Amino acid sequence: QVQLVESGGGSVQAGGSLTLSCAATGGTFSTYKMGWFRRAPGKEREFVAAISRTGGTTYYAESVKGRFTISRVNSKNTVHLQMNSLKPEDTAVYYCAADSESFISYYYFATPSKYNYWGQGTQVTVSS
C-alpha cells in the first residue's frame, strides 16, 4: 500500500555528518506520522526520532537529542534525518517508518509496534 525507500547512508568518521532521506509512494503522506529507527549489530531496533503529520511535533531519543534533526517535506513525500556530531555508537542500519497518526504522545511515536510500514534500511557506519 505504502512503500518507503531510504537513502543517504554511508561511512563517515566520528564527528562528521550525514543526512538520510526517505521517499514515500502510495497512500497519503501528509496523514502519516513518520519515524526513524535503527538497529545496531547484535541489538534490538531502537527509536531515534519521529515527526507528526505537519511537522509541528517532534520526538527524539535522549542519545541523539541535540545532534540529530528530523524534518519532512509533505509536498515531496519525503522525510529527512540530519545527523551531526556522529559517534561510533551511531553505527546501525537506519529505517524509516510510517503509520496513520492517532495520539500525539511519545509512546505512540517512539514504539516500533505502532508503525505498520517500514523501509528496507540504509547502513550508517561511523569510524573512530
Side-chain angles (χ1 to χ4, degrees):
Q1 193 171 30
V2 59
Q3 186 171 1
L4 306 174
V5 180
E6 303 95 335
S7 62
S11 298
V12 65
Q13 294 187 26
S17 299
L18 283 174
T19 299
L20 306 182
S21 298
C22 176
T25 57
T28 305
F29 182 77
S30 61
T31 68
Y32 302 145
K33 65 182 180 186
M34 300 295 298
W36 285 98
F37 296 79
R38 66 188 183 187
R39 185 167 63 190
K43 297 183 178 180
E44 293 187 349
R45 179 175 48 187
E46 68 173 355
F47 169 71
V48 177
I51 189 167
S52 60
R53 292 175 295 173
T54 63
T57 301
T58 58
Y59 297 99
Y60 295 94
E62 287 297 322
S63 61
V64 307
K65 190 172 296 183
R67 299 188 298 121
F68 291 10
T69 302
I70 188 171
S71 62
R72 67 191 297 162
V73 184
N74 284 353
S75 63
K76 297 182 178 180
N77 290 1
T78 57
V79 62
H80 307 277
L81 184 68
Q82 180 182 325
M83 305 184 294
N84 298 324
S85 302
L86 284 162
K87 305 174 181 179
E89 51 262 45
D90 294 319
T91 296
V93 176
Y94 284 71
Y95 301 88
C96 68
D99 205 348
S100 299
E101 188 174 293
S102 55
F103 299 101
I104 302 295
S105 72
Y106 179 84
Y107 174 77
Y108 279 90
F109 277 72
T111 302
S113 64
K114 300 304 179 182
Y115 291 84
N116 282 322
Y117 305 105
W118 295 83
Q120 83 288 350
T122 186
Q123 177 71 49
V124 172
T125 302
V126 184
S127 60
S128 60

